Amino acid sequence: MSAAPTHADVSEIYHQPLLELIFQAASVHREHNNPREVQVSSLVSIKTGACPEDCSYCSQSARFKTDIKVEKLMPLPELMYKAHAAKDAGASRLCMGAAWRSVKDNKDFDHVLDMVAQVNDLGLEVCATLGMLTAEQAQKLADAGLYAYNHNLDTSRDYYDKVITTRTYDDRLETIDHVRKAGITVCSGGIIGLGEAEDDRISMLVTLAGLPVPPESVPINALVPIEGTPLGEQKPVNVWEMLRMIATTRILMPHTVVRLSAGRNEMSSVEQALCFMAGANSIFAGDKLLTTPNPDFKDDNELFALLGLQAKKPDNNLPESTRPFANKTATHSANVSAPTMP
Ligand code: SAM
Ligand code: DTB
Ligand code: SF4
């Protein structure tokens, strides 16, 4: 699709008979990507809980009483231990998540810049999701070697304030713009199962595909209902809804990495296989997402072997000149090399 798609265009794609939709998405996927290759990211929560925001799906908001352990910013050796383990298990990307509303220019941010530089030196693509960023902060992350920044739109502009009231849709878009202008790849997607209508799902995809440059990766999360949050009793998303979202995302953004994200722990192997067929080509692997369980590396390796899939190598392994966003001078390296079990 060349011109920015309209709501009507996307609705027509989304509402096709399901098997037609999957077939179309599978064809688009094969035309633009290696269908055997799946990008594997490992998530690490580097700062957990006590977040001032009111995202009604989230275990980490200080406003809800949930069963999580609040944790301060992770020490560098502990992160490096996890990064080495993720790399050894076959991940190509490490995504560091912090329960912050926005980044502050303080020693915690300097610590995160050190983390980015160190993980980048390990040869992993480094992703972070830290909340809102200024243009200057995005540039500092780029200079430290950040490969991707995750900042989800989550849902449609219209439904946004039913889910979150402490920031706006435009706040989200502004951070995405800062990330893009700093030369970091953009990872932005959403969650289904928040009580939104299908038109909200379509609108979110219209916004993502209509960005001046579409995101390099789009995570599609199924809500993991968290006890104690306003959405803790939501009806679980079924696989047919996930398939429609994944397939439509693939058709709209043929070159984008479409990540089958939260919700995999509740899916069977057959359901996941259908999602890969419909154009998903990335997962979060490792037995924990940020605060909730996820299939472990062993289960995923078995699934990949069964389906004939292989984990993609990190782009960082390519020569500097072939990397899309080369700016890998580690200005904040703190020289932590030999990780020990914390
Ligand atoms: N605080 C930062 C922010 O909100 O941008 C980064 C961390 S936040 C936990 C990252 C993303 O995880 C959210 O934007 C949301 O899309 C997803 N997420 C959080 N809780 C979830 C849940 N219970 N189910 C599915 N996705 C969830
Ligand atoms: C994304 O889209 N999904 C990930 C990652 N980006 C940061 C987070 C999923 C979180 C699921 C709930 C939890 O584990 O707390
Ligand atoms: Fe905080 Fe992010 Fe959770 Fe919202 S999604 S409460 S900003 S950690």
Side-chain angles (χ1 to χ4, degrees):
M1 190 158 295
S2 45
T6 64
H7 193 95
D9 295 332
V10 180
S11 183
E12 196 177 322
I13 296 170
Y14 181 96
H15 288 294
Q16 286 178 82
L18 187 59
L19 292 182
E20 298 304 313
L21 175 61
I22 293 174
F23 181 75
Q24 190 189 351
S27 309
V28 168
H29 187 37
R30 273 147 189 78
E31 211 177 297
H32 294 93
N33 306 292
N34 174 354
R36 294 193 53 196
E37 208 168 62
V38 175
Q39 190 272 318
V40 177
S41 293
S42 175
L43 268 174
V44 179
S45 183
I46 58 169
K47 186 264 167 185
T48 309
C51 182
E53 300 283 76
D54 71 352
C55 313
S56 48
Y57 48 76
C58 188
S59 62
Q60 302 196 66
S61 167
R63 298 166 191 244
F64 318 132
K65 205 175 163 329
T66 62
D67 186 20
I68 58 153
K69 190 162 166 244
V70 172
E71 286 186 83
K72 291 208 180 88
L73 193 56
M74 184 175 279
L76 195 46
E78 188 178 343
L79 176 78
M80 293 314 292
Y81 178 82
K82 289 178 188 291
H84 276 269
K87 187 179 179 192
D88 292 349
S92 62
R93 181 177 298 188
L94 190 83
C95 180
M96 309 187 292
W100 286 330
R101 166 178 165 75
S102 58
V103 166
K104 306 264 176 358
D105 293 304
N106 58 17
K107 63 176 181 12
D108 281 355
F109 185 41
D110 290 340
H111 184 82
V112 171
L113 294 171
D114 282 339
M115 288 172 150
V116 171
Q118 288 289 317
V119 177
N120 186 41
D121 284 351
L122 197 60
L124 285 170
E125 296 168 8
V126 196
C127 173
T129 180
L130 314 168
M132 291 183 274
L133 296 178
T134 64
E136 294 71 31
Q137 290 163 344
Q139 194 54 56
K140 284 186 182 173
L141 286 164
D143 292 344
L146 193 77
Y147 185 91
Y149 196 78
N150 168 243
H151 202 64
N152 289 339
L153 289 181
D154 281 341
T155 188
S156 68
R157 180 183 282 280
D158 284 352
Y159 199 66
Y160 201 71
D161 65 4
K162 314 283 183 301
V163 182
I164 299 149
T165 68
T166 48
R167 56 172 190 255
T168 66
Y169 215 59
D170 286 324
D171 290 333
R172 281 321 253 189
L173 290 168
E174 193 176 85
T175 291
I176 291 172
D177 187 49
H178 293 155
V179 169
R180 173 62 71 210
K181 288 190 175 135
I184 300 166
T185 65
V186 172
C187 172
S188 186
I191 313 179
I192 64 170
L194 305 168
E196 75 286 352
E198 286 188 307
D199 263 345
D200 293 304
R201 298 175 187 176
I202 291 166
S203 290
M204 181 185 82
L205 294 181
V206 171
T207 306
L208 290 169
L211 287 172
V213 180
E216 281 76 10
S217 81
V218 174
I220 304 294
N221 295 277
L223 175 73
V224 181
I226 310 278
E227 209 182 311
T229 64
L231 295 176
E233 302 296 321
Q234 277 298 113
K235 183 168 137 277
V237 163
N238 68 47
V239 69
W240 313 120
E241 300 175 272
M242 272 309 258
L243 280 164
R244 265 192 202 283
M245 268 314 265
I246 286 169
T248 308
T249 307
R250 169 53 65 221
I251 293 164
L252 290 175
M253 292 173 265
H255 300 281
T256 288
V257 170
V258 179
R259 186 167 300 122
L260 170 58
S261 301
R264 265 193 333 115
N265 209 44
E266 289 68 43
M267 291 171 85
S268 69
S269 302
V270 176
E271 289 172 341
Q272 293 182 60
L274 273 170
C275 292
F276 293 125
M277 191 69 199
N281 62 345
S282 174
I283 54 168
F284 287 116
D287 59 6
K288 206 165 168 201
L289 290 167
L290 291 172
T291 66
T292 62
N294 192 50
D296 63 23
F297 278 106
K298 186 176 152 290
D299 289 345
D300 283 335
N301 285 337
E302 284 171 15
L303 182 63
F304 278 23
L306 183 72
L307 302 178
L309 298 173
Q310 62 215 12
K312 189 176 178 293
K313 299 270 179 295
D315 273 351
N316 300 40
N317 282 350
L318 298 173
E320 187 85 11
S321 57
T322 65
R323 275 149 60 178
F325 298 92
N327 187 355
K328 304 291 166 187
T329 325
T331 49
H332 293 271
S333 180
N335 250 339
V336 176
S337 48
T340 47
M341 180 67 175

